[in-house]
Amino acid sequence: MTDLKEGVCLKGFWLNHEHCCWKAETPFENRDTCSDWRIWSQLIIGTTEGAFAYILNYFMYVIWALLFSLLAVSLVKGFAPYACGSGIPEIKTILSGFIIRGYLGKWTLIIKTITLVLAVSSGLSLGKEGPLVHVACCCGNILCHLFIKYRKNEAKRREVLSAAAAAGVSVAFGAPIGGVLFSLEEVSYYFPLKTLWRSFFAALVAAFTLRSINPFGNSRLVLFYVEFHTPWHLLELVPFILLGIFGGLWGAFFIRSNIAWCRRRKTTKLGRYPVLEVLVVTAVTAILAFPNEYTRMSTSELISELFNDCGILDYSKLCEYVSDFNSTKGDDLPDRAAGPGVYTAMWQLALALILKVFITIFTFGMKVPSGLFIPSMAVGAIVGRLLGVGMEQLAYYHHDWTIFSGWCSQGADCITPGLYAMVGAAACLGGVTRMTVSLVVIMFELTGGLEYIVPLMAAAMTSKWVADAIGREGIYDAHIRLNGYPFLEAKEEFSHKTLAMDVMRPRRNDPPLTVITQDSMTVEDVEVIINETTYSGYPVVVSRESQRLVGFVLRRDLIISIENARKKQDGIVSTSIIYFTDHSPPLPPSSPSMLKLRSILDLSPFTVTDQTPMEIVVDIFRKLGLRQCLVTHNGKLLGIITKKDVLKHIAQMANQDPDSILFN
């Protein structure tokens, strides 16, 4: 569909340009044109030359882009509002114990799968990797409903989602081990050993399935396979670290700008017109992208070309060097002087860089599925390639300088620009997401460049340090905070000396805690409590006087049980008494029948005493992904601490306004 914007294949409209010309007998010089592939001007007016043909191609490119993005945003808006964005911030929140109903449902899965194809094909500056993690988690969640062991157990279901996230990255990048590490480092909240090897198995099966389908038609799992054989030199660590610094600076700049723009979208009228916004951004992207061949091609192709090392048979502009050699040993070419094609490619790439840097800020967070991996890698790969070609030319013209003299003689192949592109891509991705271990593993699995682990590690670490110095949060954490999801950051320390009684509600002047007694309230009393409050659950006590804790009952379970009892059980009326006890006393013959709800009572709610230090309470909330915790004193119920109370307390301790943490 990406190639459909430029032309169509006569053999079959479903074939892209490359597959269309696969079997065509064309001479090597004009391998880009084959009789089966027609660009739009050729098809409509019969010529490819002249201004009118160019304008027609331009017009068709923009129209197709607008059509794809309109379809995508309409489907998202109409059927599954949750299918927009990358999905990783929400999955992190869900794995930390918060429930977003419908976020991992079947509609989200179907619509996200379709609209992701449309959004990527429309040429917007977005990737498919983040959304594929969301899609994989939807599959995991839907499969959980088929098995009673997972349907009933929230903790087990979270383990499945961790494994699903690993499988998602495994498929998106063809990087199974990188997927497991990504799930461990970036997505999961709690990752025990058994989840580790289960995720490993899930990622293996995902990669195996992908390999058997062979989507790229080249028997490779990876998107950007490279074959560099030149070893890197110790002195090259300096430009690699410079790329790391650039990655960190760009990451921090991108996060700040993108969050400011998304906040603006939330608080102004802009948020009311999602379709218009997507169409405007698509139109601007398409109009600016078409004249430059590096922005016209899909971003994955661009990265692939930037990672590529120039061989004898490469015919792209990036490989137009001045050839002044007679024989070559194998495919390794010596460093050569740049020809006119390379200089043209350099300024075109510089323009492409400016477009990508700014347009991605407005694209990420729109109402279409949008990943961030590929655009970030594209920005880094462009900068890396520019720096790599610069270094290469420097070494060619000044090989007698002290820095080059020891290792770079004339006619040797010292510097690989493709490697710089690879390191730059890793640096920018690290600056935006703040990944380290999984990033390096994904990068060398993605490219097959195993010798270059040290340059990748140096760039990833530098970019993380630089970006952390400017702003503490990665893009996903920033979006979690922007959307006001109750997420406790597992990496932060809590070092204050407060106690549970300082944080729990009710406070001193508040009305008492809403409780249900175990054997003295009628159906009507409980219904009044449900209608007058919005809490998601209620503690059950022995009686109002003793306040001794029996258990905790969820609001949803109460509503469903009372409704069912009124429909199906005889004699249940408003004056029927509800019992949460094991044995109910014999009733006088004239009284209405009673309602036993012992089965929906959680008899082991999590409790702490009022003197528990908050440091321990915060740790319990983090490690167990709790939503609430009851506070007792000598077995008597005093109050309740919810996750939102903990977050507000942490904000208060950091001298922020606790009410500024919005929960929408």
Side-chain angles (χ1 to χ4, degrees), residues 487-521:
F487 179 76
L488 269 173
E489 184 51 72
K491 299 170 188 126
E492 308 275 316
E493 293 286 317
F494 183 86
S495 53
H496 306 284
K497 298 273 178 280
T498 45
L499 300 175
M501 58 190 293
D502 305 330
V503 181
M504 70 174 197
R505 290 180 308 174
R507 302 277 158 80
R508 288 231 164 81
N509 306 326
D510 290 353
L513 193 65
T514 308
V515 293
I516 293 175
T517 56
Q518 66 171 7
D519 54 8
S520 58
M521 289 178 87

PDB file of all heavy atoms in Angstrom, residues 487-521:
ATOM      1  N   PHE A 487       0.100   5.407  38.140  1.00  0.00           N
ATOM      2  CA  PHE A 487       1.230   4.516  37.907  1.00  0.00           C
ATOM      3  C   PHE A 487       2.335   4.871  38.895  1.00  0.00           C
ATOM      4  O   PHE A 487       2.779   6.015  38.941  1.00  0.00           O
ATOM      5  CB  PHE A 487       1.723   4.697  36.465  1.00  0.00           C
ATOM      6  CG  PHE A 487       2.904   3.838  36.108  1.00  0.00           C
ATOM      7  CD1 PHE A 487       2.732   2.485  35.856  1.00  0.00           C
ATOM      8  CD2 PHE A 487       4.188   4.368  36.034  1.00  0.00           C
ATOM      9  CE1 PHE A 487       3.808   1.680  35.517  1.00  0.00           C
ATOM     10  CE2 PHE A 487       5.266   3.572  35.701  1.00  0.00           C
ATOM     11  CZ  PHE A 487       5.078   2.229  35.445  1.00  0.00           C
ATOM     12  N   LEU A 488       2.753   3.896  39.692  1.00  0.00           N
ATOM     13  CA  LEU A 488       3.844   4.113  40.648  1.00  0.00           C
ATOM     14  C   LEU A 488       5.151   3.729  39.977  1.00  0.00           C
ATOM     15  O   LEU A 488       5.351   2.569  39.648  1.00  0.00           O
ATOM     16  CB  LEU A 488       3.637   3.212  41.874  1.00  0.00           C
ATOM     17  CG  LEU A 488       2.855   3.798  43.031  1.00  0.00           C
ATOM     18  CD1 LEU A 488       2.597   2.723  44.054  1.00  0.00           C
ATOM     19  CD2 LEU A 488       3.611   4.936  43.674  1.00  0.00           C
ATOM     20  N   GLU A 489       6.009   4.696  39.780  1.00  0.00           N
ATOM     21  CA  GLU A 489       7.282   4.420  39.102  1.00  0.00           C
ATOM     22  C   GLU A 489       8.152   3.513  39.980  1.00  0.00           C
ATOM     23  O   GLU A 489       8.489   3.864  41.105  1.00  0.00           O
ATOM     24  CB  GLU A 489       7.984   5.751  38.816  1.00  0.00           C
ATOM     25  CG  GLU A 489       9.256   5.641  38.034  1.00  0.00           C
ATOM     26  CD  GLU A 489       9.105   4.814  36.768  1.00  0.00           C
ATOM     27  OE1 GLU A 489       8.479   5.283  35.815  1.00  0.00           O
ATOM     28  OE2 GLU A 489       9.620   3.689  36.754  1.00  0.00           O
ATOM     29  N   ALA A 490       8.508   2.342  39.440  1.00  0.00           N
ATOM     30  CA  ALA A 490       9.243   1.371  40.246  1.00  0.00           C
ATOM     31  C   ALA A 490      10.708   1.763  40.426  1.00  0.00           C
ATOM     32  O   ALA A 490      11.392   1.224  41.286  1.00  0.00           O
ATOM     33  CB  ALA A 490       9.151  -0.010  39.603  1.00  0.00           C
ATOM     34  N   LYS A 491      11.187   2.705  39.600  1.00  0.00           N
ATOM     35  CA  LYS A 491      12.620   3.022  39.670  1.00  0.00           C
ATOM     36  C   LYS A 491      12.931   4.098  40.708  1.00  0.00           C
ATOM     37  O   LYS A 491      14.070   4.301  41.075  1.00  0.00           O
ATOM     38  CB  LYS A 491      13.102   3.499  38.283  1.00  0.00           C
ATOM     39  CG  LYS A 491      12.925   2.444  37.210  1.00  0.00           C
ATOM     40  CD  LYS A 491      13.186   3.009  35.811  1.00  0.00           C
ATOM     41  CE  LYS A 491      12.816   1.991  34.745  1.00  0.00           C
ATOM     42  NZ  LYS A 491      11.890   2.491  33.750  1.00  0.00           N
ATOM     43  N   GLU A 492      11.901   4.824  41.194  1.00  0.00           N
ATOM     44  CA  GLU A 492      12.158   5.922  42.137  1.00  0.00           C
ATOM     45  C   GLU A 492      12.218   5.391  43.571  1.00  0.00           C
ATOM     46  O   GLU A 492      11.536   4.438  43.920  1.00  0.00           O
ATOM     47  CB  GLU A 492      11.025   6.962  42.043  1.00  0.00           C
ATOM     48  CG  GLU A 492      10.744   7.452  40.642  1.00  0.00           C
ATOM     49  CD  GLU A 492      11.649   8.595  40.224  1.00  0.00           C
ATOM     50  OE1 GLU A 492      11.854   9.509  41.029  1.00  0.00           O
ATOM     51  OE2 GLU A 492      12.172   8.541  39.092  1.00  0.00           O
ATOM     52  N   GLU A 493      13.004   6.053  44.414  1.00  0.00           N
ATOM     53  CA  GLU A 493      13.081   5.676  45.833  1.00  0.00           C
ATOM     54  C   GLU A 493      12.101   6.543  46.633  1.00  0.00           C
ATOM     55  O   GLU A 493      11.890   7.709  46.302  1.00  0.00           O
ATOM     56  CB  GLU A 493      14.502   5.931  46.360  1.00  0.00           C
ATOM     57  CG  GLU A 493      15.569   5.042  45.751  1.00  0.00           C
ATOM     58  CD  GLU A 493      15.501   3.623  46.277  1.00  0.00           C
ATOM     59  OE1 GLU A 493      15.315   3.452  47.494  1.00  0.00           O
ATOM     60  OE2 GLU A 493      15.591   2.681  45.467  1.00  0.00           O
ATOM     61  N   PHE A 494      11.537   5.971  47.711  1.00  0.00           N
ATOM     62  CA  PHE A 494      10.714   6.777  48.623  1.00  0.00           C
ATOM     63  C   PHE A 494      11.460   6.830  49.948  1.00  0.00           C
ATOM     64  O   PHE A 494      11.651   5.810  50.603  1.00  0.00           O
ATOM     65  CB  PHE A 494       9.330   6.143  48.809  1.00  0.00           C
ATOM     66  CG  PHE A 494       8.423   6.956  49.684  1.00  0.00           C
ATOM     67  CD1 PHE A 494       7.670   7.982  49.148  1.00  0.00           C
ATOM     68  CD2 PHE A 494       8.335   6.720  51.054  1.00  0.00           C
ATOM     69  CE1 PHE A 494       6.842   8.752  49.952  1.00  0.00           C
ATOM     70  CE2 PHE A 494       7.504   7.489  51.862  1.00  0.00           C
ATOM     71  CZ  PHE A 494       6.757   8.506  51.306  1.00  0.00           C
ATOM     72  N   SER A 495      11.900   8.026  50.354  1.00  0.00           N
ATOM     73  CA  SER A 495      12.817   8.073  51.501  1.00  0.00           C
ATOM     74  C   SER A 495      12.273   8.888  52.679  1.00  0.00           C
ATOM     75  O   SER A 495      13.025   9.269  53.561  1.00  0.00           O
ATOM     76  CB  SER A 495      14.149   8.664  51.043  1.00  0.00           C
ATOM     77  OG  SER A 495      13.914   9.891  50.393  1.00  0.00           O
ATOM     78  N   HIS A 496      10.952   9.164  52.690  1.00  0.00           N
ATOM     79  CA  HIS A 496      10.416  10.008  53.774  1.00  0.00           C
ATOM     80  C   HIS A 496       9.960   9.153  54.951  1.00  0.00           C
ATOM     81  O   HIS A 496       9.680   7.980  54.813  1.00  0.00           O
ATOM     82  CB  HIS A 496       9.264  10.866  53.236  1.00  0.00           C
ATOM     83  CG  HIS A 496       9.654  11.669  52.039  1.00  0.00           C
ATOM     84  ND1 HIS A 496      10.429  12.798  52.123  1.00  0.00           N
ATOM     85  CD2 HIS A 496       9.414  11.477  50.717  1.00  0.00           C
ATOM     86  CE1 HIS A 496      10.638  13.277  50.905  1.00  0.00           C
ATOM     87  NE2 HIS A 496      10.030  12.490  50.038  1.00  0.00           N
ATOM     88  N   LYS A 497       9.826   9.808  56.123  1.00  0.00           N
ATOM     89  CA  LYS A 497       9.571   9.046  57.355  1.00  0.00           C
ATOM     90  C   LYS A 497       8.102   9.075  57.776  1.00  0.00           C
ATOM     91  O   LYS A 497       7.799   9.034  58.954  1.00  0.00           O
ATOM     92  CB  LYS A 497      10.429   9.631  58.497  1.00  0.00           C
ATOM     93  CG  LYS A 497      11.925   9.532  58.268  1.00  0.00           C
ATOM     94  CD  LYS A 497      12.462   8.185  58.752  1.00  0.00           C
ATOM     95  CE  LYS A 497      13.933   8.012  58.493  1.00  0.00           C
ATOM     96  NZ  LYS A 497      14.235   7.622  57.116  1.00  0.00           N
ATOM     97  N   THR A 498       7.176   9.168  56.846  1.00  0.00           N
ATOM     98  CA  THR A 498       5.759   9.237  57.233  1.00  0.00           C
ATOM     99  C   THR A 498       5.214   7.835  57.519  1.00  0.00           C
ATOM    100  O   THR A 498       5.803   6.828  57.130  1.00  0.00           O
ATOM    101  CB  THR A 498       4.934   9.886  56.105  1.00  0.00           C
ATOM    102  OG1 THR A 498       5.358   9.305  54.874  1.00  0.00           O
ATOM    103  CG2 THR A 498       5.161  11.370  56.039  1.00  0.00           C
ATOM    104  N   LEU A 499       4.056   7.778  58.170  1.00  0.00           N
ATOM    105  CA  LEU A 499       3.427   6.498  58.520  1.00  0.00           C
ATOM    106  C   LEU A 499       2.117   6.323  57.752  1.00  0.00           C
ATOM    107  O   LEU A 499       1.588   7.280  57.193  1.00  0.00           O
ATOM    108  CB  LEU A 499       3.129   6.453  60.028  1.00  0.00           C
ATOM    109  CG  LEU A 499       4.334   6.588  60.963  1.00  0.00           C
ATOM    110  CD1 LEU A 499       3.866   6.645  62.403  1.00  0.00           C
ATOM    111  CD2 LEU A 499       5.310   5.440  60.771  1.00  0.00           C
ATOM    112  N   ALA A 500       1.591   5.097  57.801  1.00  0.00           N
ATOM    113  CA  ALA A 500       0.341   4.813  57.087  1.00  0.00           C
ATOM    114  C   ALA A 500      -0.800   5.698  57.588  1.00  0.00           C
ATOM    115  O   ALA A 500      -1.658   6.124  56.816  1.00  0.00           O
ATOM    116  CB  ALA A 500      -0.017   3.342  57.243  1.00  0.00           C
ATOM    117  N   MET A 501      -0.807   6.002  58.901  1.00  0.00           N
ATOM    118  CA  MET A 501      -1.927   6.789  59.443  1.00  0.00           C
ATOM    119  C   MET A 501      -1.921   8.231  58.897  1.00  0.00           C
ATOM    120  O   MET A 501      -2.949   8.894  58.904  1.00  0.00           O
ATOM    121  CB  MET A 501      -1.898   6.794  60.970  1.00  0.00           C
ATOM    122  CG  MET A 501      -0.616   7.330  61.560  1.00  0.00           C
ATOM    123  SD  MET A 501      -0.515   7.039  63.317  1.00  0.00           S
ATOM    124  CE  MET A 501      -1.810   8.083  63.932  1.00  0.00           C
ATOM    125  N   ASP A 502      -0.754   8.710  58.418  1.00  0.00           N
ATOM    126  CA  ASP A 502      -0.704  10.073  57.863  1.00  0.00           C
ATOM    127  C   ASP A 502      -1.346  10.154  56.483  1.00  0.00           C
ATOM    128  O   ASP A 502      -1.722  11.227  56.022  1.00  0.00           O
ATOM    129  CB  ASP A 502       0.762  10.548  57.741  1.00  0.00           C
ATOM    130  CG  ASP A 502       1.499  10.444  59.063  1.00  0.00           C
ATOM    131  OD1 ASP A 502       0.831  10.584  60.100  1.00  0.00           O
ATOM    132  OD2 ASP A 502       2.723  10.196  59.043  1.00  0.00           O
ATOM    133  N   VAL A 503      -1.411   9.008  55.798  1.00  0.00           N
ATOM    134  CA  VAL A 503      -1.853   9.017  54.399  1.00  0.00           C
ATOM    135  C   VAL A 503      -3.278   8.510  54.259  1.00  0.00           C
ATOM    136  O   VAL A 503      -3.996   8.880  53.339  1.00  0.00           O
ATOM    137  CB  VAL A 503      -0.886   8.154  53.546  1.00  0.00           C
ATOM    138  CG1 VAL A 503      -1.294   8.154  52.085  1.00  0.00           C
ATOM    139  CG2 VAL A 503       0.534   8.659  53.693  1.00  0.00           C
ATOM    140  N   MET A 504      -3.693   7.629  55.203  1.00  0.00           N
ATOM    141  CA  MET A 504      -4.997   6.953  55.020  1.00  0.00           C
ATOM    142  C   MET A 504      -6.150   7.954  55.072  1.00  0.00           C
ATOM    143  O   MET A 504      -6.038   9.048  55.613  1.00  0.00           O
ATOM    144  CB  MET A 504      -5.178   5.903  56.102  1.00  0.00           C
ATOM    145  CG  MET A 504      -5.398   6.499  57.472  1.00  0.00           C
ATOM    146  SD  MET A 504      -5.785   5.292  58.688  1.00  0.00           S
ATOM    147  CE  MET A 504      -6.474   6.321  59.967  1.00  0.00           C
ATOM    148  N   ARG A 505      -7.242   7.533  54.455  1.00  0.00           N
ATOM    149  CA  ARG A 505      -8.485   8.281  54.610  1.00  0.00           C
ATOM    150  C   ARG A 505      -9.440   7.388  55.400  1.00  0.00           C
ATOM    151  O   ARG A 505      -9.328   6.174  55.297  1.00  0.00           O
ATOM    152  CB  ARG A 505      -9.063   8.617  53.238  1.00  0.00           C
ATOM    153  CG  ARG A 505      -8.211   9.655  52.520  1.00  0.00           C
ATOM    154  CD  ARG A 505      -8.751   9.995  51.195  1.00  0.00           C
ATOM    155  NE  ARG A 505      -8.994   8.780  50.405  1.00  0.00           N
ATOM    156  CZ  ARG A 505      -9.576   8.773  49.230  1.00  0.00           C
ATOM    157  NH1 ARG A 505      -9.973   9.884  48.691  1.00  0.00           N
ATOM    158  NH2 ARG A 505      -9.768   7.658  48.572  1.00  0.00           N
ATOM    159  N   PRO A 506     -10.406   7.883  56.150  1.00  0.00           N
ATOM    160  CA  PRO A 506     -10.709   9.305  56.345  1.00  0.00           C
ATOM    161  C   PRO A 506      -9.671  10.015  57.225  1.00  0.00           C
ATOM    162  O   PRO A 506      -9.110   9.413  58.123  1.00  0.00           O
ATOM    163  CB  PRO A 506     -12.064   9.253  57.048  1.00  0.00           C
ATOM    164  CG  PRO A 506     -12.084   7.934  57.741  1.00  0.00           C
ATOM    165  CD  PRO A 506     -11.300   7.004  56.902  1.00  0.00           C
ATOM    166  N   ARG A 507      -9.448  11.310  56.924  1.00  0.00           N
ATOM    167  CA  ARG A 507      -8.567  12.140  57.766  1.00  0.00           C
ATOM    168  C   ARG A 507      -9.360  12.592  58.999  1.00  0.00           C
ATOM    169  O   ARG A 507     -10.519  12.272  59.163  1.00  0.00           O
ATOM    170  CB  ARG A 507      -8.114  13.375  56.977  1.00  0.00           C
ATOM    171  CG  ARG A 507      -7.382  13.059  55.690  1.00  0.00           C
ATOM    172  CD  ARG A 507      -5.911  12.772  55.960  1.00  0.00           C
ATOM    173  NE  ARG A 507      -5.313  11.975  54.873  1.00  0.00           N
ATOM    174  CZ  ARG A 507      -4.912  12.480  53.727  1.00  0.00           C
ATOM    175  NH1 ARG A 507      -5.033  13.765  53.508  1.00  0.00           N
ATOM    176  NH2 ARG A 507      -4.373  11.711  52.801  1.00  0.00           N
ATOM    177  N   ARG A 508      -8.715  13.462  59.810  1.00  0.00           N
ATOM    178  CA  ARG A 508      -9.319  13.845  61.106  1.00  0.00           C
ATOM    179  C   ARG A 508     -10.740  14.409  60.978  1.00  0.00           C
ATOM    180  O   ARG A 508     -11.633  14.018  61.696  1.00  0.00           O
ATOM    181  CB  ARG A 508      -8.431  14.886  61.787  1.00  0.00           C
ATOM    182  CG  ARG A 508      -7.138  14.275  62.316  1.00  0.00           C
ATOM    183  CD  ARG A 508      -6.911  14.639  63.793  1.00  0.00           C
ATOM    184  NE  ARG A 508      -5.904  13.762  64.385  1.00  0.00           N
ATOM    185  CZ  ARG A 508      -4.608  13.944  64.235  1.00  0.00           C
ATOM    186  NH1 ARG A 508      -4.174  14.962  63.509  1.00  0.00           N
ATOM    187  NH2 ARG A 508      -3.741  13.120  64.791  1.00  0.00           N
ATOM    188  N   ASN A 509     -10.937  15.354  60.062  1.00  0.00           N
ATOM    189  CA  ASN A 509     -12.240  16.048  60.018  1.00  0.00           C
ATOM    190  C   ASN A 509     -13.194  15.457  58.983  1.00  0.00           C
ATOM    191  O   ASN A 509     -14.262  15.999  58.734  1.00  0.00           O
ATOM    192  CB  ASN A 509     -12.030  17.538  59.718  1.00  0.00           C
ATOM    193  CG  ASN A 509     -11.052  18.156  60.693  1.00  0.00           C
ATOM    194  OD1 ASN A 509     -11.023  17.756  61.861  1.00  0.00           O
ATOM    195  ND2 ASN A 509     -10.240  19.100  60.230  1.00  0.00           N
ATOM    196  N   ASP A 510     -12.773  14.351  58.343  1.00  0.00           N
ATOM    197  CA  ASP A 510     -13.619  13.769  57.298  1.00  0.00           C
ATOM    198  C   ASP A 510     -14.763  12.962  57.913  1.00  0.00           C
ATOM    199  O   ASP A 510     -14.672  12.521  59.063  1.00  0.00           O
ATOM    200  CB  ASP A 510     -12.784  12.813  56.415  1.00  0.00           C
ATOM    201  CG  ASP A 510     -11.791  13.584  55.557  1.00  0.00           C
ATOM    202  OD1 ASP A 510     -11.876  14.817  55.570  1.00  0.00           O
ATOM    203  OD2 ASP A 510     -10.946  12.951  54.901  1.00  0.00           O
ATOM    204  N   PRO A 511     -15.850  12.754  57.151  1.00  0.00           N
ATOM    205  CA  PRO A 511     -16.887  11.821  57.619  1.00  0.00           C
ATOM    206  C   PRO A 511     -16.291  10.413  57.734  1.00  0.00           C
ATOM    207  O   PRO A 511     -15.298  10.105  57.071  1.00  0.00           O
ATOM    208  CB  PRO A 511     -17.946  11.885  56.519  1.00  0.00           C
ATOM    209  CG  PRO A 511     -17.265  12.485  55.334  1.00  0.00           C
ATOM    210  CD  PRO A 511     -16.169  13.354  55.861  1.00  0.00           C
ATOM    211  N   PRO A 512     -16.892   9.551  58.591  1.00  0.00           N
ATOM    212  CA  PRO A 512     -16.297   8.211  58.797  1.00  0.00           C
ATOM    213  C   PRO A 512     -16.312   7.381  57.509  1.00  0.00           C
ATOM    214  O   PRO A 512     -17.029   7.677  56.561  1.00  0.00           O
ATOM    215  CB  PRO A 512     -17.191   7.587  59.869  1.00  0.00           C
ATOM    216  CG  PRO A 512     -18.467   8.352  59.807  1.00  0.00           C
ATOM    217  CD  PRO A 512     -18.102   9.736  59.387  1.00  0.00           C
ATOM    218  N   LEU A 513     -15.509   6.319  57.527  1.00  0.00           N
ATOM    219  CA  LEU A 513     -15.374   5.430  56.371  1.00  0.00           C
ATOM    220  C   LEU A 513     -16.707   4.723  56.090  1.00  0.00           C
ATOM    221  O   LEU A 513     -17.401   4.311  57.016  1.00  0.00           O
ATOM    222  CB  LEU A 513     -14.298   4.391  56.707  1.00  0.00           C
ATOM    223  CG  LEU A 513     -13.746   3.546  55.581  1.00  0.00           C
ATOM    224  CD1 LEU A 513     -12.999   4.418  54.590  1.00  0.00           C
ATOM    225  CD2 LEU A 513     -12.793   2.490  56.125  1.00  0.00           C
ATOM    226  N   THR A 514     -17.061   4.608  54.823  1.00  0.00           N
ATOM    227  CA  THR A 514     -18.299   3.901  54.453  1.00  0.00           C
ATOM    228  C   THR A 514     -18.061   2.397  54.571  1.00  0.00           C
ATOM    229  O   THR A 514     -17.214   1.851  53.860  1.00  0.00           O
ATOM    230  CB  THR A 514     -18.673   4.231  52.999  1.00  0.00           C
ATOM    231  OG1 THR A 514     -18.678   5.654  52.845  1.00  0.00           O
ATOM    232  CG2 THR A 514     -20.028   3.668  52.636  1.00  0.00           C
ATOM    233  N   VAL A 515     -18.796   1.735  55.482  1.00  0.00           N
ATOM    234  CA  VAL A 515     -18.597   0.286  55.663  1.00  0.00           C
ATOM    235  C   VAL A 515     -19.936  -0.434  55.551  1.00  0.00           C
ATOM    236  O   VAL A 515     -20.998   0.175  55.646  1.00  0.00           O
ATOM    237  CB  VAL A 515     -17.956  -0.041  57.029  1.00  0.00           C
ATOM    238  CG1 VAL A 515     -16.532   0.482  57.102  1.00  0.00           C
ATOM    239  CG2 VAL A 515     -18.789   0.504  58.183  1.00  0.00           C
ATOM    240  N   ILE A 516     -19.867  -1.751  55.362  1.00  0.00           N
ATOM    241  CA  ILE A 516     -21.071  -2.592  55.345  1.00  0.00           C
ATOM    242  C   ILE A 516     -20.921  -3.577  56.507  1.00  0.00           C
ATOM    243  O   ILE A 516     -19.828  -4.120  56.720  1.00  0.00           O
ATOM    244  CB  ILE A 516     -21.158  -3.343  54.000  1.00  0.00           C
ATOM    245  CG1 ILE A 516     -21.400  -2.343  52.866  1.00  0.00           C
ATOM    246  CG2 ILE A 516     -22.259  -4.397  54.019  1.00  0.00           C
ATOM    247  CD1 ILE A 516     -21.378  -2.938  51.480  1.00  0.00           C
ATOM    248  N   THR A 517     -21.990  -3.793  57.273  1.00  0.00           N
ATOM    249  CA  THR A 517     -21.879  -4.747  58.397  1.00  0.00           C
ATOM    250  C   THR A 517     -22.201  -6.151  57.903  1.00  0.00           C
ATOM    251  O   THR A 517     -22.875  -6.327  56.889  1.00  0.00           O
ATOM    252  CB  THR A 517     -22.840  -4.368  59.542  1.00  0.00           C
ATOM    253  OG1 THR A 517     -24.160  -4.294  59.002  1.00  0.00           O
ATOM    254  CG2 THR A 517     -22.463  -3.021  60.138  1.00  0.00           C
ATOM    255  N   GLN A 518     -21.725  -7.148  58.651  1.00  0.00           N
ATOM    256  CA  GLN A 518     -21.814  -8.508  58.113  1.00  0.00           C
ATOM    257  C   GLN A 518     -23.194  -9.141  58.246  1.00  0.00           C
ATOM    258  O   GLN A 518     -23.518 -10.059  57.503  1.00  0.00           O
ATOM    259  CB  GLN A 518     -20.755  -9.406  58.762  1.00  0.00           C
ATOM    260  CG  GLN A 518     -20.950  -9.654  60.253  1.00  0.00           C
ATOM    261  CD  GLN A 518     -19.990 -10.711  60.775  1.00  0.00           C
ATOM    262  OE1 GLN A 518     -19.110 -11.162  60.075  1.00  0.00           O
ATOM    263  NE2 GLN A 518     -20.184 -11.113  62.030  1.00  0.00           N
ATOM    264  N   ASP A 519     -24.047  -8.657  59.186  1.00  0.00           N
ATOM    265  CA  ASP A 519     -25.333  -9.363  59.336  1.00  0.00           C
ATOM    266  C   ASP A 519     -26.469  -8.464  59.797  1.00  0.00           C
ATOM    267  O   ASP A 519     -27.450  -8.949  60.364  1.00  0.00           O
ATOM    268  CB  ASP A 519     -25.185 -10.531  60.326  1.00  0.00           C
ATOM    269  CG  ASP A 519     -24.602 -10.074  61.659  1.00  0.00           C
ATOM    270  OD1 ASP A 519     -24.471  -8.848  61.855  1.00  0.00           O
ATOM    271  OD2 ASP A 519     -24.268 -10.945  62.491  1.00  0.00           O
ATOM    272  N   SER A 520     -26.378  -7.136  59.566  1.00  0.00           N
ATOM    273  CA  SER A 520     -27.471  -6.306  60.088  1.00  0.00           C
ATOM    274  C   SER A 520     -28.010  -5.302  59.068  1.00  0.00           C
ATOM    275  O   SER A 520     -28.864  -4.502  59.406  1.00  0.00           O
ATOM    276  CB  SER A 520     -26.991  -5.548  61.335  1.00  0.00           C
ATOM    277  OG  SER A 520     -25.874  -4.761  60.991  1.00  0.00           O
ATOM    278  N   MET A 521     -27.523  -5.341  57.809  1.00  0.00           N
ATOM    279  CA  MET A 521     -28.008  -4.355  56.835  1.00  0.00           C
ATOM    280  C   MET A 521     -28.979  -4.995  55.852  1.00  0.00           C
ATOM    281  O   MET A 521     -28.793  -6.143  55.443  1.00  0.00           O
ATOM    282  CB  MET A 521     -26.824  -3.734  56.081  1.00  0.00           C
ATOM    283  CG  MET A 521     -26.009  -2.802  56.973  1.00  0.00           C
ATOM    284  SD  MET A 521     -24.583  -2.115  56.133  1.00  0.00           S
ATOM    285  CE  MET A 521     -25.251  -0.701  55.359  1.00  0.00           C
TER     286      MET A 521
END
